[in-house]
Every structure is written in C-alpha cells, then in structure tokens.
Amino acid sequence: MAAVIGDKLEVIDLTHSFNRQEIVHHVNFTVRDGEFLSILGPSGCGKTTILRILIGLLSPSGGTIRKDGVDITAAKPSARNMGIVFQNYALFQNMTVLGNVEYALQFNAGLKSRARSIAENIIEQVGLTEHVNKKPYKLSGGQQQRVAIARTLALNPEIILFDEPMSALDAATRLSLRDEIKKIQRNFKSTMIYITHDQEEAFALSDRIMVMNAGNIEQLDTPENIIQHPANRYVDEFVIQNLRLKIDSLIKYMGGKGVHEVNL
Ligand SMILES: Nc1ncnc2c1ncn2[C@@H]1O[C@H](COP(=O)(O)OP(=O)(O)OP(=O)(O)O)[C@@H](O)[C@H]1O
Ligand SMILES: [Mg+2]
C-alpha cells in the first residue's frame, strides 16, 4: 500500500492472536492527518486490541504500522507521540486537578520548566479552572473525564486515542462531553481515533467511521456514505437499523408518533 500525502497512520495487514486464536484478521486502514476517525463495533470485536497495538502496549502477531511513513511497529509507546484517554479516567486520586495534569509534564525535559503554565492553560481550555485545586473525587464523572483529556492534551500528542471514554457517564453528560471533544479537536487539530460501540456517538463526532465485526473491517467511510451506501447487510443492521431504533424511541419519548421510516 503506497503512502498518500496526508496519511498520518497506515495500518497494513495487521493481525493479532491471543492463545493461538486470531481475533484481528488482516486489517488494513489509514488515518489521515487531523482526522477524527471512530472505530465502531460490538463488544469483543477487537477495538481495544487494535488500539493497544497502535499505542505500543501490545506487540501485534503480524503486520506493520507506519506513522508519517515511518515504521513504528516495534517502537516504544513513549517514542510514538500518542496519547490515550480510557473509560475509567485513571486519575491520581491523591492529587489535585492541577497535579494530575502537571504530572506527566514533569517527566518531559523540554516541558518541565513550563509545566505549571501549560497545565493551567489546558485546564482553562477544558473549562475546569474553578476546580483546579480539587481532588478528583470531588468532581463529577464528566469533569473527571475532562481532567483525563486535559492530562493527555498537555503533552501535545500528534494522535489521541480514546477507548470508550463516555461509557461510564450518563446521557446528558455524554452529550456535553461530546461537544467538548469536538471543540478540542477543532482547537488542537490533533488526529483522533475514537473507539465506541455507540452508533450515535460515532456519527455525531466523526469525519470517517470504521465499522468492525469480529476482527474484520466491514466498512470505512464517511457517515454520509455509510448511511447512503452501507457496504453489506451487517453495516445496514448494526449501524443503520440501530440508529433508526434510537430515533424512533426518542420520538416516542418526546410524545410524537413512532416513526420507523426516519430519513437518516
Ligand atoms: N489479554 C487477552 N487474553 C486473551 N484474550 C483476550 C485478551 N484481550 C482481549 N481478548 C479477547 O479478544 C477479543 C477482542 O477483545 P477486545 O478487548 O479487543 O474487544 P473490544 O472490541 O474492545 O470489546 P469491548 O467493546 O467489550 O471493549 C475478545 O474476545 C477478548 O475476550
Ligand atoms: Mg474495548
């Protein structure tokens, strides 16, 4: 596969097996510079495995990963300039918001002297200035996830990976954090890879969506093209029918008629 200008990441013939059972099957895709790409698929389809391989926490059974045209398949996580945001925030509970965001900067020789001002600036950008001296347990789940995002942003990674960052949050918080993530991407212009099993979230956030099923990519395309031209029956059922059902139940909830033929 030839690299195209604008490709940030190329994933070539990636496979992974656990206990001799292959669970990621010869996957190929590229992520463009500055793109918001969602990986959408049901539980167990291999999303987190791919993400762990991309960030360097897991060595793949086969295949190549290139970043800016350079093979990074065997590079250490710290050499990849990628950041990750997990579902469970993974904050230090004994440190304040400021301490959590400053922490990673202390270990970076180039940023250490400016750690405080960088941290304060990022905390302001995610709207947490008034909570800067609080410990995480005093914050809501959505606010804690903002701290985790701020901590990742502070190191200015070229690529930010999110592994179902909203699955522990209630619906209203998810909506506001979704807007926040979109805003952050506009401001920071980083490439983002966002794992979710929520169709609506993927459609609201993404430039392109990679639809996965059992270790394979079923379709990788823009939300519009997926709606208009689902690649196969799986995409039609898992993505489009599920979105229709959600819209139906929303309309019912709001007191309208249940409409099945929603024009997506
Ligand atoms: N360390 C491991 N050892 C053995 N099997 C594993 C390991 N990690 C994941 N698996 C298996 O690999 C498959 C893919 O797991 P993975 O965590 O990548 O799925 P996922 O798409 O992220 O699912 P979820 O949406 O539930 O997080 C699953 O069948 C899982 O049980
Ligand atoms: Mg997962």
Side-chain angles (χ1 to χ4, degrees), residues 98-127:
L98 183 64
N100 268 281
V101 178
E102 252 188 317
Y103 182 78
L105 294 161
Q106 307 289 345
F107 299 99
N108 185 306
L111 300 175
K112 196 176 171 184
S113 62
R114 290 182 292 130
R116 175 63 51 94
S117 67
I118 293 172
E120 282 172 350
N121 182 281
I122 302 270
I123 288 166
E124 191 186 337
Q125 294 203 49
V126 300

Side-chain angles (χ1 to χ4, degrees), residues 186-255:
R186 277 198 297 271
N187 290 346
F188 287 79
K189 299 185 173 60
S190 16
T191 305
M192 293 189 171
I193 303 175
Y194 187 96
I195 288 187
T196 181
H197 57 251
D198 184 322
Q199 295 84 357
E200 208 188 325
E201 216 167 86
F203 274 77
L205 283 167
S206 313
D207 296 313
R208 290 190 305 155
I209 301 173
M210 180 167 126
V211 183
M212 285 195 69
N213 175 28
N216 294 299
I217 300 174
E218 299 285 351
Q219 188 166 10
L220 200 179
D221 214 330
T222 59
E224 294 76 14
N225 284 343
I226 290 176
I227 294 285
Q228 281 166 13
H229 310 289
N232 53 39
R233 196 170 163 166
Y234 175 83
V235 176
D236 187 50
E237 284 176 2
F238 178 70
V239 182
I240 299 176
Q241 301 306 334
N242 270 315
L243 276 174
R244 282 214 174 94
L245 287 174
K246 279 195 179 184
I247 293 173
D248 269 2
S249 61
L250 186 69
I251 290 171
K252 276 199 189 115
Y253 174 75
M254 290 166 73

Side-chain angles (χ1 to χ4, degrees), residues 18-19 23 41-50 52 163-164 197:
F18 288 115
N19 311 321
I23 59 111
S43 186
C45 74
K47 304 182 295 295
T48 297
T49 303
I50 291 179
R52 289 174 65 209
D163 194 354
E164 311 222 24
H197 57 251

Side-chain angles (χ1 to χ4, degrees), residues 43-63:
S43 186
C45 74
K47 304 182 295 295
T48 297
T49 303
I50 291 179
L51 181 131
R52 289 174 65 209
I53 292 170
L54 293 182
I55 202 156
L57 296 174
L58 187 66
S59 177
S61 307

